[in-house]
Amino acid sequence: IHWAISLHFDSIAAYGSEFKPVHVLEPLLGRHPLWSAFCSILEHGAAYPLRNNDDASCLQDIQDATARGNHKSAIVNFDLLKSMMTTEVEFFSALTSTSIGPYH
């Protein structure tokens, strides 16, 4: 996926394009009580503590998703989904598997 994203370095799909420099955001967000934490995340990245899921938890997640009917709305509203995804691909906010090409 890195290869595909790097092809679009000057678009909104580029790494970090969703963020503005901290000095641009500070006049707007600097008085927010969590600004210092947000600023640190923007400058240094975020750390998310992860835990290993045991096999039973993974199996339960799959069973729950199956029972819920995961992505059922995509089947029921296929024309709307197709229209939305086409728009996202046209504006480079989504990459298609054909734009990714072979794995690198």
Side-chain angles (χ1 to χ4, degrees):
I1 190 102
H2 169 74
W3 174 79
I5 292 173
S6 68
L7 293 177
H8 302 282
F9 66 91
D10 59 346
S11 77
I12 62 171
Y15 289 120
S17 65
E18 65 274 24
F19 299 113
K20 297 291 182 196
V22 171
H23 72 274
V24 172
L25 295 173
E26 189 167 16
L28 176 66
L29 302 174
R31 295 178 60 165
H32 190 281
L34 298 176
W35 169 247
S36 61
F38 184 62
C39 182
S40 176
I41 290 169
L42 291 175
E43 291 180 329
H44 307 291
Y48 297 99
L50 302 175
R51 62 178 171 76
N52 289 330
N53 285 339
D54 57 69
D55 290 343
S57 295
C58 291
L59 182 58
Q60 185 63 51
D61 286 346
I62 292 169
Q63 290 170 343
D64 291 345
T66 302
R68 185 174 56 248
N70 215 15
H71 303 294
K72 190 180 336 177
S73 64
I75 295 168
V76 174
N77 300 304
F78 179 75
D79 291 336
L80 176 61
L81 174 66
K82 183 177 178 182
S83 170
M84 291 168 58
M85 290 307 299
T86 299
T87 300
E88 291 204 17
V89 169
E90 287 172 353
F91 288 100
F92 296 108
S93 52
L95 299 173
T96 64
S97 58
T98 55
S99 69
I100 294 172
Y103 292 103
H104 290 279

